[in-house]
């Protein structure tokens, strides 16, 4: 750790593409606030202990020695002259958060192996891989040779390391090699250029900031803030580490003499008012005449559609935020504004730094959510499948954004372990949660919203790529469903849904809007059965849709009997109007009561509300129960009776779900739009989500 409580000398050097906004020196109050910021950051583990830092340096030293020995061996095997071998060199460079000096406790290290021209990439993935395998300290060794940027992943003495490879057009690799030299890119293949890009960008950033220590402390604070506010993920359409680093670096250029407390505030000030899509540049782009594609909207039409361009400073310049969508940009800009308001309070001593790092409850923020589940039979298949699905979720967000009835789609970057269909069956699953804001309704009429195409085009894309890349296995599945806020507690791990439980009013809303979903222990229904409930002044109205494909006659009777029993147990009366359709029941039922509001809402204005499930044409006639009489007041008192009621309702739901997932889940097969199918049929879930919205 360091203490930046030192007056910075006014720097005459000009940084960035514009003049600075302010050259003001820090005041005593700024230094005090910076010290308070450091103390606030410590409990979050953003500073690594000196012992751990020395251990990383030792591991990188061992790895560097290993690389040099390996290159000498390869050189000897290829009959390189001994005079060259003596000085052949070879070196491990680092980049990313470790190179920037902002890595946290337990973080991995991004490394680059640089070799001379006679060492091939095939040597790296064969003889060097074998050499790593021989080392006692190396665990979890795996090579990803076909990746966009090929990499060897390993754990060296307990430290996770990703090693890229670059072969330069040099006979030897000098110890003082500066990778920022554009001339090194001549005569290199595109994979080597991509591998070098990480180091070149990181080194450029460090050379373009006025004060590295102030930059590092500010970046630590901003990265922690972004992670706590669920906006840190390049792959999901937010910003990754290098993008946050460039925004902080630009702030440092605009306020070259400011300390971290001031820079954090100015960061929010600058980017809450930034006129996107004007690009953020740390230096003027340079053309090295190497005919490499660079970000330039004047030349490349697709670059004109980037919403939040942040341009890397090293040639070939690229937009590091091409995944950003309209929703993710809107979410980040809103967070910038909130950050500005909080830091305004902090500078006025009206709030502490801890307020900036308070994590909002994502699961209370929206009324409606799409839950996405990816599952596979083995851990290895699951890791591959989850990686592919996660890399495509931004496509789903884009599809939802294009829907005329959706204002915003916010995917939570944090994924969670999913539930099992069967306790005794080995299965690995992961879920992601997407908050959805529907447009405010105009007019009194109800509105039917069909998200089926948006979901299905996403799942088709994932399956198609899995088949093309030959990684698909028959048990790999994707499921998507709509759930309301209260239902999330049944899907998420306990620590994630505690906030939801606290806000619930004791009753469980079972409105369901997902057709043919499967594999998730939630009342959002699979193809065998779905339940929806709307409250009415008289009691509860249940809408039950049953699809009996593939279910035996005896099981049908059992399901119907169980549901009737559930209704009786819930409402304390026998159901009426058995056999009427759900659509009729919905029309005849009394208007639903408003749900109690949450104290923390993103869409606090009146938003569309889901009243019932829109029945799909292929479903069977359904069973519904008419309104029941009100239950008499409990003699136990309001609080006690509420708790008893909650436990009782939860036990009914859990009992039904347990039975359902053991007996009633079926799968559909449909990949008609995939050009070439594998030999075995592929079970693909048709995710149909149809909502009826009213004011």
């Amino acid at each position: 750790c360091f203490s930046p409580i030192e007056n910075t000398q006014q720097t005459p050097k000009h940084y960035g593409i514009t003049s600075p906004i302010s050259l003001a020196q820090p005041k005593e109050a700024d230094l005090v606030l910076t010290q308070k910021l450091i103390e606030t950051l410590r409990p979050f583990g953003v500073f690594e202990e000196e012992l751990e830092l020395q251990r990383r340096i030792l591991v990188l030293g061992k790895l560097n020695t290993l690389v040099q020995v390996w290159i000498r061996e390869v050189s000897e095997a290829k009959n390189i002259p001994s005079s060259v071998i003596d000085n052949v060199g070879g070196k491990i460079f680092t980049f990313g958060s470790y190179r920037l000096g902002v890595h946290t406790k337990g973080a991995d290290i991004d490394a680059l192996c640089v070799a001379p021209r006679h060492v091939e990439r095939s040597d790296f993935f064969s003889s060097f891989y074998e050499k790593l395998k021989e080392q006692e300290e190396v665990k979890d060794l795996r090579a990803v040779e076909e990746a966009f940027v090929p990499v060897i992943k390993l754990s060296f003495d307990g430290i996770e390391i990703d090693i890229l490879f670059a072969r330069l057009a040099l006979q030897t690799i000098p110890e003082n090699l500066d990778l920022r030299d554009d001339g090194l890119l001549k005569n290199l293949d595109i994979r080597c250029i991509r591998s070098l890009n990480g180091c070149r960008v990181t080194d450029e950033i460090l050379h373009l900031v006025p004060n590295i220590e102030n930059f590092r402390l500010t970046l630590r604070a901003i990265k922690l803030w972004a992670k706590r506010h669920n906006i840190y993920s390049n792959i999901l359409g937010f910003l990754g580490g290098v993008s946050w680093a460039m925004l902080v670096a630009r702030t440092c250029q605009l306020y070259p003499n400011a300390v971290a407390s001031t820079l954090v505030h100015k960061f929010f000030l600058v980017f809450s008012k930034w006129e996107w899509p004007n690009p953020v540049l740390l230096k003027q782009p340079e053309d090295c005449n190497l005919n490499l594609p660079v970000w330039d909207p004047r030349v490349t039409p697709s670059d004109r559609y980037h919403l939040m361009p942040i341009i890397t400073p090293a040639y070939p310049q690229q937009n590091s935020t091409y995944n950003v969508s309209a929703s993710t940009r809107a979410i980040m800009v809103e967070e910038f504004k909130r950050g500005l308001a909080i830091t305004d309070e902090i500078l006025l001593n009206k709030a502490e730094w801890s307020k900036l790092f308070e994590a909002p409850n994502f699961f209370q923020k929206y009324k409606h959510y799409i839950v996405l589940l990816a599952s596979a039979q083995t851990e290895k298949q699951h890791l591959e499948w989850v990686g592919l699905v996660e890399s495509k979720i931004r496509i789903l967000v884009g599809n939802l954004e294009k829907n005329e009835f959706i204002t915003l789609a916010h995917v939570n970057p944090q994924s969670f372990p999913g539930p099992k269909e069967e306790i005794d069956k080995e299965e690995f699953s992961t879920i992601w949660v997407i908050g959805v804001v529907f447009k405010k309704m105009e007019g009194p009429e109800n509105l039917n919203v069909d998200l089926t195409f948006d979901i299905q085009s996403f799942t088709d894309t994932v399956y198609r790529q899995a088949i093309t890349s030959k990684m698909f296995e028959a048990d790999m599945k994707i499921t998507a469903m709509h759930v309301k806020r209260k239902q999330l507690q049944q899907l998420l791990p306990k620590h994630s849904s505690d906030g939801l439980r606290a806000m619930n009013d004791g009753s469980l809303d079972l409105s369901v809007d997902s057709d043919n979903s499967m594999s998730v222990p939630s009342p959002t229904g699979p193809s065998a059965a779905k339940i929806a409930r709307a409250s009415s002044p008289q009691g509860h109205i249940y809408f039950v849709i049953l699809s009996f494909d593939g279910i035996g006659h005896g099981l049908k009777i059992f399901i119907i009997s169980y549901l009737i029993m559930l209704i009786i147990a819930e409402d304390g009366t026998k159901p009426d109007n058995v056999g009427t359709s759900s659509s009729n029941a919905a029309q005849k039922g009394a208007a639903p009561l408003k749900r109690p509001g949450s104290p923390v809402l993103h869409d606090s204005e009146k938003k569309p509300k889901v009243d019932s499930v829109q029945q799909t044409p292929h479903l069977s006639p359904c069973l519904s129960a008419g309104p029941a009489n009100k239950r008499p007041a409990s003699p136990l008192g309001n609080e006690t009776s509420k708790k008893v009621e909650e436990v009782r309702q939860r036990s009914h739901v859990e009992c039904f779900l347990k039975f359902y997932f053991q007996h009633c889940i079926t799968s559909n097969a449909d990949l008609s739009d995939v050009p070439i199918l594998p030999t075995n049929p592929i079970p693909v879930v048709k995710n149909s989500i149809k909502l009826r919205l009213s004011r």
Side-chain angles (χ1 to χ4, degrees):
C1 296
F2 67 94
S3 179
I5 312 304
E6 299 172 2
N7 284 326
T8 357
Q9 294 298 319
Q10 182 167 321
T11 314
K13 183 178 176 182
H14 181 69
Y15 291 91
I17 62 172
T18 65
S19 300
I21 293 175
S22 171
L23 292 172
Q25 295 290 334
K27 298 176 183 177
E28 185 62 32
D30 301 325
L31 301 176
V32 171
L33 278 173
T34 299
Q35 187 59 50
K36 287 183 178 179
L37 175 61
I38 294 171
E39 296 306 318
T40 304
L41 291 174
R42 286 191 196 281
F44 291 100
V46 300
F47 298 114
E48 193 171 48
E49 300 295 334
E50 185 63 28
L51 193 63
E52 184 65 21
L53 186 59
Q54 291 302 320
R55 183 162 156 262
R56 286 178 184 269
I57 293 171
L58 184 63
V59 164
L60 286 171
K62 289 181 180 178
L63 198 57
N64 194 63
T65 301
L66 203 64
V67 164
Q68 292 177 344
V69 170
W70 164 67
I71 290 176
R72 285 181 64 90
E73 291 173 354
V74 172
S75 302
E76 290 169 356
K78 295 187 177 184
N79 298 317
I80 301 298
S82 57
S83 59
V84 174
I85 292 175
D86 291 339
N87 300 299
V88 71
K91 190 173 180 181
I92 286 286
F93 291 85
T94 60
F95 61 100
S97 63
Y98 180 80
R99 176 71 181 96
L100 287 172
V102 295
H103 61 285
T104 57
K105 290 179 182 177
D108 62 357
I109 297 176
D110 296 312
L112 171 69
C113 172
V114 175
R117 63 192 178 201
H118 58 270
V119 179
E120 306 279 347
R121 184 174 295 275
S122 57
D123 297 324
F124 178 72
F125 283 101
S126 55
S127 57
F128 185 63
Y129 181 88
E130 292 301 320
K131 198 166 193 66
L132 287 170
K133 194 186 288 186
E134 295 169 2
Q135 309 304 309
E136 290 182 4
E137 303 98 326
V138 172
K139 309 290 182 187
D140 302 327
L141 181 66
R142 54 208 183 277
V144 191
E145 193 169 356
E146 300 305 317
F148 184 72
V149 181
V151 61
I152 289 179
K153 294 174 172 284
L154 68 146
S155 173
F156 199 113
D157 195 20
I159 296 173
E160 296 289 331
I161 304 176
D162 292 351
I163 311 177
L164 311 183
F165 175 82
R167 167 197 181 210
L168 301 184
L170 301 174
Q171 190 176 38
T172 62
I173 303 300
E175 185 64 30
N176 61 347
L177 180 67
D178 185 357
L179 294 180
R180 292 187 302 142
D181 181 1
D182 294 329
L184 295 174
L185 301 180
K186 291 179 180 177
N187 304 317
L188 296 190
D189 67 51
I190 190 62
R191 288 176 299 178
C192 286
I193 291 173
R194 288 178 191 146
S195 297
L196 284 166
N197 192 52
C199 286
R200 286 167 53 80
V201 168
T202 305
D203 288 354
E204 280 287 358
I205 291 172
L206 291 174
H207 280 81
L208 290 169
V209 294
N211 184 301
I212 290 177
E213 295 305 315
N214 288 338
F215 162 75
R216 284 173 172 164
L217 181 55
T218 307
L219 181 55
R220 287 182 190 276
I222 294 301
K223 286 180 67 172
L224 175 63
W225 166 82
K227 290 174 182 177
R228 299 282 290 171
H229 286 253
N230 297 310
I231 54 173
Y232 189 105
S233 174
N234 177 55
I235 200 170
L236 292 176
F238 296 103
L239 304 189
V242 69
S243 299
W244 290 115
M246 286 189 285
L247 291 187
V248 171
R250 185 68 186 119
T251 308
C252 292
Q253 290 179 341
L254 294 172
Y255 300 90
N257 298 314
V259 290
S261 59
T262 305
L263 288 169
V264 170
H265 175 252
K266 297 302 184 185
F267 171 90
F268 292 120
L269 176 64
V270 170
F271 295 109
S272 63
K273 300 181 183 301
W274 194 271
E275 295 182 358
W276 306 104
N278 287 321
V280 174
L281 295 161
L282 296 183
K283 60 183 282 190
Q284 286 292 353
E286 299 170 355
D287 189 0
C288 298
N289 297 317
L290 296 178
N291 295 320
L292 295 173
V294 297
W295 185 86
D296 189 345
R298 298 168 302 179
V299 177
T300 311
S302 61
D303 290 347
R304 299 168 196 166
Y305 298 98
H306 292 175
L307 300 177
M308 199 175 181
I310 302 172
I311 310 306
T312 56
Y315 180 85
Q317 296 83 10
Q318 302 293 323
N319 176 22
S320 66
T321 60
Y322 55 87
N323 286 341
V324 169
S325 68
S327 282
T328 54
R329 185 180 74 176
I331 291 160
M332 286 187 283
V333 170
E334 186 62 31
E335 291 293 348
F336 291 152
K337 291 177 181 177
R338 290 177 185 168
L340 177 61
I342 293 171
T343 50
D344 279 341
E345 293 180 5
I346 293 170
L347 294 188
L348 293 171
N349 291 317
K350 292 182 179 179
E352 300 296 329
W353 282 110
S354 56
K355 185 175 180 180
L356 183 65
F357 305 113
E358 288 176 0
N361 192 328
F362 177 83
F363 307 109
Q364 290 185 21
K365 194 172 185 180
Y366 303 101
K367 288 183 179 179
H368 302 283
Y369 294 87
I370 301 292
V371 174
L372 193 65
L373 182 141
S375 59
Q377 285 295 103
T378 68
E379 189 172 8
K380 182 177 181 296
Q381 290 175 4
H382 175 249
L383 285 173
E384 293 178 344
W385 186 232
V386 164
L388 175 60
V389 172
E390 186 174 47
S391 71
K392 301 299 177 187
I393 288 177
R394 58 190 171 86
I395 294 175
L396 173 57
V397 171
N399 291 346
L400 294 173
E401 285 177 351
K402 292 171 189 172
N403 190 296
E404 59 179 319
F405 303 114
I406 291 178
T407 301
L408 183 139
H410 182 183
V411 56
N412 187 347
Q414 184 181 5
S415 59
F416 302 94
K420 285 188 176 183
E421 291 180 23
E422 300 176 25
I423 296 174
D424 56 345
K425 183 180 178 183
E426 186 177 26
E427 184 182 63
F428 300 88
S429 61
T430 298
I431 61 176
W432 296 266
V433 183
I434 304 172
V436 179
V437 178
F438 290 99
K439 287 184 179 175
K440 188 176 180 181
M441 301 288 297
E442 293 181 4
E445 70 280 356
N446 291 343
L447 186 68
N448 294 328
V449 178
D450 189 350
L451 303 182
T452 304
F453 177 79
D454 303 328
I455 302 291
Q456 203 60 42
S457 61
F458 158 71
T459 55
D460 288 349
T461 300
V462 177
Y463 281 117
R464 191 178 293 113
Q465 179 155 334
I467 293 166
T468 304
S469 60
K470 298 180 181 179
M471 66 166 280
F472 186 82
E473 299 291 343
D475 292 314
M476 292 177 171
K477 293 176 289 189
I478 314 173
T479 308
M481 70 197 72
H482 166 269
V483 291
K484 290 184 179 179
R485 186 164 49 213
K486 291 183 181 180
Q487 295 169 307
L488 282 174
Q489 64 174 304
Q490 298 184 20
L491 296 171
L492 301 174
K494 185 177 185 304
H495 69 274
S496 303
S497 56
D498 283 343
L500 283 163
R501 291 190 178 91
M503 62 166 283
N504 281 351
D505 61 350
S507 63
L508 183 63
D509 189 334
L510 294 183
S511 291
V512 178
D513 312 290
S514 305
D515 303 303
N516 298 335
S517 301
M518 63 184 287
S519 310
V520 182
S522 161
T524 51
S527 58
K530 298 187 204 87
I531 307 173
R533 187 186 77 184
S535 301
S536 73
Q538 291 77 25
H540 303 301
I541 302 173
Y542 281 86
F543 305 109
V544 182
I545 300 176
L546 299 179
S547 175
F548 288 130
D549 297 339
I551 299 179
H553 180 69
L555 189 54
K556 294 178 194 177
I557 295 173
F558 187 93
I559 294 172
I560 294 173
S561 303
Y562 179 82
L563 292 173
I564 294 172
M565 178 272 291
L566 182 64
I567 295 166
I568 294 170
E570 176 72 11
D571 290 339
T573 183
K574 291 183 180 180
D576 303 324
N577 304 327
V578 175
T580 59
S581 73
S582 65
S583 57
N584 292 337
Q587 291 168 3
K588 293 176 183 177
L593 293 173
K594 289 184 180 179
R595 289 162 59 180
S598 164
V600 182
L601 291 179
H602 180 85
D603 44 347
S604 56
E605 298 177 354
K606 286 188 177 179
K607 296 291 180 203
K609 180 177 178 180
V610 178
D611 291 334
S612 66
V613 179
Q614 178 70 29
Q615 187 173 346
T616 51
H618 69 276
L619 293 176
S620 308
C622 59
L623 173 73
S624 70
N629 296 327
K630 260 192 173 181
R631 180 173 300 166
S634 168
L636 299 174
N638 289 340
E639 285 303 314
T640 309
S641 62
K642 278 185 180 180
K643 290 180 182 177
V644 172
E645 180 76 1
E646 182 177 351
V647 171
R648 186 178 60 78
Q649 290 181 358
R650 191 177 300 161
S651 66
H652 283 312
V653 173
E654 290 172 353
C655 182
F656 173 73
L657 292 174
K658 182 178 179 183
F659 167 79
Y660 177 78
F661 283 109
Q662 287 177 349
H663 300 285
C664 307
I665 290 178
T666 60
S667 63
N668 300 320
D670 187 343
L671 262 187
S672 56
D673 55 351
V674 176
I676 301 174
L677 292 175
T679 310
N680 298 325
I682 302 171
V684 177
V685 183
K686 293 288 286 184
N687 296 278
S688 178
I689 297 182
K690 299 188 178 183
L691 317 178
R692 179 174 295 162
L693 306 177
S694 65
R695 287 187 66 81

